[in-house]
Amino acid sequence: DMRNHRDLAWVGGCAFLFSACARSALPAPVPPAPAHPVSACERLHAGGAERLGSVRQSSSVALAQGKSAPSGKPRVVAYVADTDEPTLRTIDVETRQEIASSPLKGRPEQVLVLADGRVAVSLRASNAVEVLEPSADDAALASRCVIDTRAEPVALAATPDDATILVTSGWGRAVTAFDAKTMTSKFEVSVPRDPRGIIVSDDGERAFVAHVVEARMSVIDLTTMDHAVRNVDVRARLASEPDVEPSARKGCQGFALTKVDGAGDSKAKMIDRVFAPMVSVNAGDGSESSGYGSESPSEISEVAVVDASAERTLTRAVRLPSSGTALAECLLPRAAAYDDGALYVTCLGIDALLKLDARSLDPARAELKRWPVAGGPTGVAVDHANHRAVVWSQFDREVAIVDLEGEAPPARLAVSRRAAGITANVALGRKLFHQMGDARISSDGRACASCHPDGKEDAITWSTPDGPRQTPMLAGRLADTAPYGWMGSSDKLKDHLKKTFERLSGSGLEGAELSALVDYISSLTPPIERKLPADRDKLVVRGRELFESAGTACGTCHDAGHAFVDGVRHVVMAGLVRSPGDEGFDTPSLRFVAGTAPYFHDGRYKTLDDVLIAPDHAMGSSTHLSRQDRAALVAYLETL
């Protein structure tokens, strides 16, 4: 059963240091066979909790209206996706008690309540979506079906007519549409890398998709047969130069999306706005620098405001910090919700729920209020009728009920563990990995997760003391791949982390905390794509033959028997040797090469094919290959 991949993800440990990736789409999708007969997805029994309001986008917490509570009022329940164990929890928001715990077929990521009360849950590590049915008495939900998806399903959204469910797959770079009743696949669209949050316009004609990297938003046409995908650049324009294209600043941390609720917003002019919390990055100009990035602010929080009708950003960067990074800024946004002129954003690292003025063209600079919550707030849902928000903090395993109009501090409910989850040491490492404003890690407030969202990489090439350097992917690329660092300067991961802290002008971690951070990074597992379609098999076989041949010499350094590394440094391009003792770059592993972007130490190649045809490097010999053989070699690399 390939729906439970976390333990299998260690097969073939991979290198910590490679940062390459093709932007070309992964293998052409083939509709997967459902795990159960599709009729099993439909509701069997009436009654039970119903969707609360008109929320049609997922988060790690979702609200429903259950049967009457002892007070006589309708009970509001919160479904919580606990990613540390295969469990969906049901919380009574009024009494702040856990009233049910529903076992799942995998660890959940996000949850969406459907129009008929069923609950859809993305099982990210299992490449599946599970659909459950509520009971009449708000007890544990019953599983109806498990549907296979492309790799790494994360966010879900329903169309306004509630006929279709859309699912984003991060590693699979796809959005898949399912019939909401039967969960049969309707269509699938390839999108750029790392899609996350998704919402659908009020007219049902377009879907908007956030991406973790590259400051982009995809717009999918839901009305045409080809479901065309358009791109919106969500970087802010300078207020002083409104007609000038966005600057060279990069973008990252695009996990969440939300929009104005057109059904009940009091400001008609707001109806077509889409909000995308993100981070604006100044990585430097590619020259040498004292640390990672420019001397000016390396990262600032931002909320892109997009005119949904025009598909154009409205954001104006009216007040940028002059230097440094504000330690209290939301540099790791993870969830967003809207309520009558206010935008609510949860932020890792500073562990807060922010209330921003959604009417502003620069909401990140228009903070109205913030509430402290427990560590690791990954989701937020708003109970509009009762003017409260429910926040789930995964790291500290706590639910917070926030009064959005009063002054009382959030009410909190600690959630107990019901299954073997992560160890205490890994849990500590996770908090340290996402901790903003920790002077031991960096002087400007950045966390490890700032450059390594989800333990992967930010697709950015940074200015460093050694010149431009691409961010490497961490998840699944550490085991048996020492030495670490582009120059192979550290035999142990602890030593490499210490050097990284020095580059970031941090004072450094020591002892148990450093060990915990190493344990957490080592525990990160990458997603695994399902078996390739049959029509790709021959192409992959041919690609492997080319990879291992003396004619290309790819396998000379990237030894398939040793995690695709040889532990040796090589001069791979003329002019790169910086001193007599500098012998080039450590060989990076090719594991998961199709999941990061772009290629080479300095990010000069956008795709795998660009590397194969480039004449300006000394890595193997591939410029002589025909187009067909290059395609075969790329197809093989994408399977690693």
Side-chain angles (χ1 to χ4, degrees):
D1 185 348
M2 294 299 291
R3 291 192 299 274
N4 296 292
H5 286 128
R6 282 198 185 271
D7 293 336
L8 298 179
W10 287 103
V11 177
C14 349
F16 166 53
L17 304 167
F18 197 52
S19 59
C21 166
R23 289 188 187 175
S24 57
L26 289 177
V30 170
H36 298 82
V38 293
S39 60
C41 289
E42 300 177 31
R43 268 206 87 147
L44 284 182
H45 309 289
E50 301 175 350
R51 182 171 63 193
L52 183 67
S54 58
V55 176
R56 291 182 171 88
Q57 69 181 87
S58 67
S59 183
S60 62
V61 56
L63 301 181
Q65 182 171 298
K67 70 174 187 176
S68 294
S71 64
K73 296 180 180 180
R75 170 185 276 167
V76 175
V77 299
Y79 296 125
V80 174
D82 184 351
T83 61
D84 286 346
E85 53 187 72
T87 304
L88 184 69
R89 302 177 181 276
T90 304
I91 308 296
D92 186 317
V93 176
E94 204 66 50
T95 64
R96 298 189 293 278
Q97 293 181 331
E98 183 175 350
I99 58 176
S101 178
S102 307
L104 298 171
K105 300 300 190 295
R107 298 185 181 187
E109 186 72 17
Q110 295 195 12
V111 56
L112 175 68
V113 182
L114 306 184
D116 62 1
R118 285 175 303 153
V119 177
V121 184
S122 57
L123 309 180
R124 181 173 176 174
S126 303
N127 295 350
V129 169
E130 185 167 2
V131 179
L132 303 97
E133 179 178 88
S135 62
D137 58 357
D138 299 334
L141 289 78
S143 180
R144 297 296 302 123
C145 65
V146 178
I147 301 300
D148 292 346
T149 69
R150 293 296 301 275
E152 202 179 37
V154 179
L156 309 96
T159 54
D161 61 3
D162 291 311
T164 303
I165 304 300
L166 300 172
V167 180
T168 63
S169 293
W171 189 265
R173 285 179 269 183
V175 173
T176 308
F178 295 95
D179 180 277
K181 183 178 180 180
T182 65
M183 292 303 290
T184 52
S185 178
K186 300 174 76 171
F187 63 85
E188 189 169 86
V189 180
S190 294
V191 295
R193 58 166 293 191
D194 293 315
R196 286 299 187 273
I198 183 169
I199 58 174
V200 182
S201 60
D202 288 341
D203 58 15
E205 294 183 354
R206 289 163 298 167
F208 296 85
V209 182
H211 295 267
V212 174
V213 301
E214 297 182 342
R216 73 165 77 230
M217 180 187 295
S218 293
V219 183
I220 303 173
D221 191 333
L222 301 179
T223 64
T224 60
M225 292 296 294
D226 62 352
H227 303 295
V229 179
R230 299 180 292 275
N231 177 65
V232 176
D233 190 325
V234 295
R235 290 175 294 181
R237 298 170 183 271
L238 298 178
S240 59
E241 300 176 288
D243 298 325
V244 177
E245 287 300 309
S247 70
R249 287 179 293 113
K250 310 297 183 183
C252 190
Q253 308 294 337
F255 283 81
L257 276 185
T258 192
K259 66 179 179 65
V260 173
D261 183 356
D265 193 81
S266 61
K267 302 292 183 181
K269 64 180 181 180
M270 294 276 292
I271 288 178
D272 286 332
R273 289 191 181 182
V274 173
F275 305 98
M278 55 175 283
V279 168
S280 184
V281 179
N282 190 342
D285 59 7
S287 60
E288 294 183 16
S289 69
S290 60
Y292 291 113
S294 170
E295 298 300 327
S296 61
S298 55
E299 296 188 351
I300 60 172
S301 60
E302 190 170 307
V303 175
V305 182
V306 174
D307 183 324
S309 297
E311 297 178 11
R312 181 179 184 273
T313 181
L314 301 173
T315 313
R316 299 286 186 264
V318 296
R319 183 171 61 84
L320 298 182
S322 58
S323 63
T325 295
L327 301 185
E329 280 199 75
C330 182
L331 299 183
L332 299 176
R334 286 299 181 270
Y338 176 87
D339 183 33
D340 196 19
L343 176 66
Y344 297 93
V345 181
T346 65
C347 307
L348 300 185
I350 62 172
D351 299 331
L353 173 68
L354 303 189
K355 179 181 181 180
L356 308 177
D357 186 352
R359 300 180 179 92
S360 171
L361 292 182
D362 189 11
R365 307 288 168 255
E367 182 178 324
L368 301 175
K369 192 172 182 178
R370 70 169 59 189
W371 295 268
V373 295
T378 59
V380 59
V382 174
D383 178 358
H384 304 282
N386 293 296
H387 307 290
R388 59 189 173 188
V390 180
V391 176
W392 167 240
S393 294
Q394 181 66 59
F395 298 177
D396 283 345
R397 306 175 61 77
E398 187 173 288
V399 174
I401 295 93
V402 181
D403 182 349
L404 299 178
E405 294 188 332
E407 297 301 324
R412 296 184 173 186
L413 167 66
V415 174
S416 61
R417 202 177 291 278
R418 295 189 181 279
I422 63 175
T423 66
N425 212 42
V426 170
L428 173 60
R430 178 170 62 181
K431 294 189 73 171
L432 292 167
F433 188 84
H434 293 87
Q435 188 64 48
M436 302 299 307
D438 191 331
R440 298 172 300 173
I441 294 173
S442 70
S443 63
D444 64 1
R446 276 181 287 180
C448 303
S450 296
C451 297
H452 299 282
D454 280 355
K456 297 175 186 173
E457 42 71 49
D458 56 12
I460 293 175
T461 300
W462 295 82
S463 292
T464 79
D466 299 320
R469 291 293 182 268
Q470 161 89 251
T471 305
M473 177 177 172
L474 305 183
R477 310 181 81 184
L478 294 175
D480 304 319
T481 59
Y484 301 108
W486 279 109
M487 311 305 292
S489 57
S490 301
D491 290 329
K492 295 182 179 180
L493 183 56
K494 285 186 178 181
D495 294 335
H496 181 69
L497 289 176
K498 290 179 180 179
K499 292 180 180 179
T500 301
F501 299 148
E502 291 176 5
R503 290 280 180 89
L504 292 169
S505 299
S507 60
L509 295 175
E510 297 291 344
E513 289 185 317
L514 182 58
S515 295
L517 183 58
V518 169
D519 285 352
Y520 172 67
I521 295 173
S522 301
S523 75
L524 294 168
T525 55
I528 295 180
E529 188 64 270
R530 294 186 183 280
K531 188 179 185 298
L532 290 175
D535 60 356
R536 299 275 290 181
D537 286 346
K538 290 184 178 180
L539 199 64
V540 170
V541 169
R542 173 58 179 162
R544 180 171 182 172
E545 292 174 351
L546 291 166
F547 182 88
E548 296 174 347
S549 71
T552 64
C554 299
T556 301
C557 301
H558 298 286
D559 186 348
H562 296 85
F564 293 93
V565 298
D566 60 1
V568 178
R569 289 193 292 177
H570 300 274
V571 177
V572 294
M573 191 172 292
L576 288 183
V577 178
R578 302 175 57 80
S579 67
D582 188 342
E583 300 177 355
F585 292 89
D586 179 63
T587 303
S589 174
L590 297 183
R591 287 293 190 189
F592 311 106
V593 69
T596 61
Y599 280 101
F600 225 53
H601 68 284
D602 56 6
R604 68 180 59 193
Y605 304 121
K606 292 183 178 180
T607 69
L608 284 165
D609 195 60
D610 288 344
V611 178
L612 299 181
I613 64 175
D616 61 347
H617 64 75
M619 297 189 303
S621 178
S622 56
T623 55
H624 66 284
L625 296 177
S626 66
R627 179 177 298 180
Q628 292 81 2
D629 277 349
R630 288 203 315 272
L633 185 50
V634 167
Y636 171 65
L637 292 172
E638 289 179 336
T639 68
L640 302 181

